[in-house]
Amino acid sequence: MFPEAIAAHTRACEEHWHNPSSLYREAGAAKRLLEEARERLADILGIEEPNRIVFTSGATEANNLVMAHAAASAPGQSAIISEIEHPSVLEPARKAFGERLRLAKVQSDGALDLAALEASIQSDKPALISVMAANNETGAIQPWIEAAELSKDIQFHCDAAQWLGKMPSDGLATCDWITGSAHKFGGPKGAGFLVVPEDLDSIRGGPIGGPQERGLRAGTENYPAVAAMLAALERAQQLLSGAPEIENARDGFEARILAEIPNTRVCGAGANRLWNTTMLVLPAHRNLKWLTRLSHFGFQVSTGSACSSGKENPSHVMQAMGLSFDEMGRVLRLSAGWQTSAADWKALGDALIEVWSALNSTDRESKPKIQFQAGAPSEIA
Ligand code: PLP
């Protein structure tokens, strides 16, 4: 979390912990600050009507609300979502639309195939189209602006959880529904928002309870989380101009790894990607081995959702991009933050190359000293 977000959270907990929906004077102050935060967020998003913003417990809740509402408002109609949406879009969409859900294909670089989306819209006009702004596994930037244009008179939802705070928010205001998540831009976990269409007076299929958030989302407002979310987003917006420098360092890292660890691939290399993400398919050794060794160097990396432990399901994103099962077991996902420097990318490169050499020598050491010879009797039990 940005220090600014932690400070805003602490201040809100200490000074404005009151229930914003209560009637006493201090609660009124918390309510005013909550509404002020809504206006500041609307300003960043370029939305004229702050009332379109509903504060939620994060992007998962926001995405669930969209799917529940869309299906309840258009019984019998279909929806199209990209096949690489986050599970918090994919699963509620499957539940809400069942067989009426259609998945729009991505290309092998991980970006949505717009022609396929257009053909799908023309074959049967859906009630809702949902395309994420950038993918959480590959960082591949999606053509969400073009997809929104194709949607014209169809409700369009954009899960911008990976976009906001990393990329300029220009154009987002054209979407009917927008999802955001605070912990993706240096804010707290468990906080996010949903932008809803103008004049929406109820979210059908959502949880029912108190009349908070104009009756759109029941539950006591978490003003400290909202205060921290806004402080983080405003800080991230100030840092946006520094993105090209980190992107250059990331690109330099990738070029070095491709040269030093032969047969490595960068997933989605052909697509525009977020400046902070790189997804590598390494040439050998299970990704869990790489992950464990890198953690000894102090690097916290991810295997994606590949089936490395045997318990996880293979990633639907990697499958959509055409990776084989074997390749998926060799994927490492690395992401930087605003604090990541060129020196950090260099140190990560050094560590990866050292791990590569260590894994290869361990492999050599564990190889049997006496090799099989064709036709010779085995000397190893
Ligand atoms: N959507 C995307 C694209 C994400 O990357 C994530 C988080 O990983 C989510 C939704 C879920 O966000 P939250 O953790 O706020 O529920």
Side-chain angles (χ1 to χ4, degrees):
M1 278 174 73
F2 282 122
E4 291 83 350
I6 297 172
H9 194 273
T10 305
R11 200 166 50 245
C13 286
E14 286 173 356
E15 296 172 17
H16 301 292
W17 49 267
H18 316 86
N19 183 342
S21 291
S22 288
L23 296 177
Y24 49 83
R25 189 167 48 110
E26 292 83 353
K31 176 77 174 160
R32 266 192 305 283
L33 287 167
L34 185 76
E35 294 316 315
E36 199 184 290
R38 209 184 303 276
E39 283 165 22
R40 281 155 57 201
L41 180 53
D43 215 37
I44 292 173
L45 296 172
I47 285 170
E48 282 177 21
E49 189 46 77
N51 267 349
R52 285 183 62 199
I53 297 169
V54 178
F55 292 121
T56 65
S57 64
T60 298
E61 180 189 336
N63 290 337
N64 272 260
L65 291 175
V66 177
M67 295 304 150
H69 179 86
S73 313
Q77 289 193 51
S78 65
I80 305 177
I81 68 173
S82 88
E83 61 179 338
I84 54 158
E85 290 301 310
H86 188 268
S88 61
V89 169
L90 205 49
E91 294 309 325
R94 279 196 180 118
K95 181 171 173 215
F97 287 92
E99 290 185 347
R100 290 174 287 111
L101 179 69
R102 287 178 280 150
L103 300 181
K105 291 262 170 239
V106 295
Q107 303 157 164
S108 58
D109 63 5
L112 175 70
D113 183 341
L114 270 175
L117 174 66
E118 191 168 12
S120 183
I121 295 171
Q122 279 165 4
S123 75
D124 175 19
K125 189 174 150 188
L128 177 82
I129 294 175
S130 180
V131 175
M132 69 199 323
N135 182 261
N136 48 301
E137 291 188 36
T138 58
I141 290 175
Q142 302 302 312
W144 57 272
I145 296 180
E146 294 81 352
E149 277 164 13
L150 285 178
S151 302
K152 287 182 203 112
D153 53 346
I154 302 163
Q155 292 274 302
F156 183 78
H157 168 240
C158 182
D159 176 352
Q162 290 290 339
W163 182 273
L164 274 167
K166 296 194 191 95
M167 302 294 281
S169 49
D170 309 349
L172 274 174
T174 62
C175 304
D176 301 298
W177 305 81
I178 310 165
T179 291
S181 172
H183 71 106
K184 303 296 178 190
F185 48 73
K189 292 168 182 61
F193 64 87
L194 175 65
V195 174
V196 304
E198 237 172 285
D199 301 329
L200 192 77
D201 55 12
S202 76
I203 296 183
R204 295 206 208 169
I208 306 163
Q212 294 92 349
E213 298 288 283
R214 292 200 291 123
L216 295 174
R217 195 263 185 183
T220 304
E221 303 91 334
N222 188 352
Y223 170 64
V226 170
M229 173 162 70
L230 260 296
L233 187 54
E234 284 167 351
R235 182 72 190 121
Q237 293 290 111
Q238 288 167 357
L239 294 172
L240 284 181
S241 59
E245 200 177 318
I246 307 176
E247 185 167 16
N248 276 343
R250 189 271 318 259
D251 292 349
F253 160 85
E254 287 180 350
R256 181 176 172 212
I257 295 304
L258 294 183
E260 301 265 343
I261 308 183
N263 300 321
T264 300
R265 270 199 309 126
V266 174
C267 258
N272 286 328
R273 285 176 296 145
L274 292 176
W275 51 265
N276 75 321
T277 309
T278 177
M279 186 165 136
L280 301 177
V281 187
L282 292 153
H285 311 295
R286 304 289 298 171
N287 45 18
L288 216 50
K289 280 192 182 175
W290 289 87
L291 179 148
T292 313
R293 288 186 182 237
L294 283 171
S295 76
H296 293 149
F297 285 90
F299 291 101
Q300 298 139 14
V301 306
S302 161
T303 56
S305 317
C307 197
S308 50
S309 67
K311 289 183 193 141
E312 300 163 78
N313 290 323
S315 148
H316 64 291
V317 177
M318 295 182 213
Q319 288 185 63
M321 290 171 70
L323 268 73
S324 69
F325 194 74
D326 176 58
E327 285 172 319
M328 286 189 247
R330 290 186 272 114
V331 162
L332 272 193
R333 186 155 52 96
L334 315 164
S335 8
W338 285 114
Q339 300 86 342
T340 310
S341 64
D344 293 325
W345 278 112
K346 158 89 174 53
L348 175 59
D350 293 346
L352 258 178
I353 291 164
E354 210 169 314
V355 169
W356 170 239
S357 136
L359 283 173
N360 285 345
S361 64
T362 319
D363 249 23
R364 271 196 297 278
E365 276 157 26
S366 61
K367 286 247 165 68
K369 297 267 181 317
I370 305 166
Q371 299 289 335
F372 287 105
Q373 280 179 6
S378 166
E379 296 185 66
I380 302 169

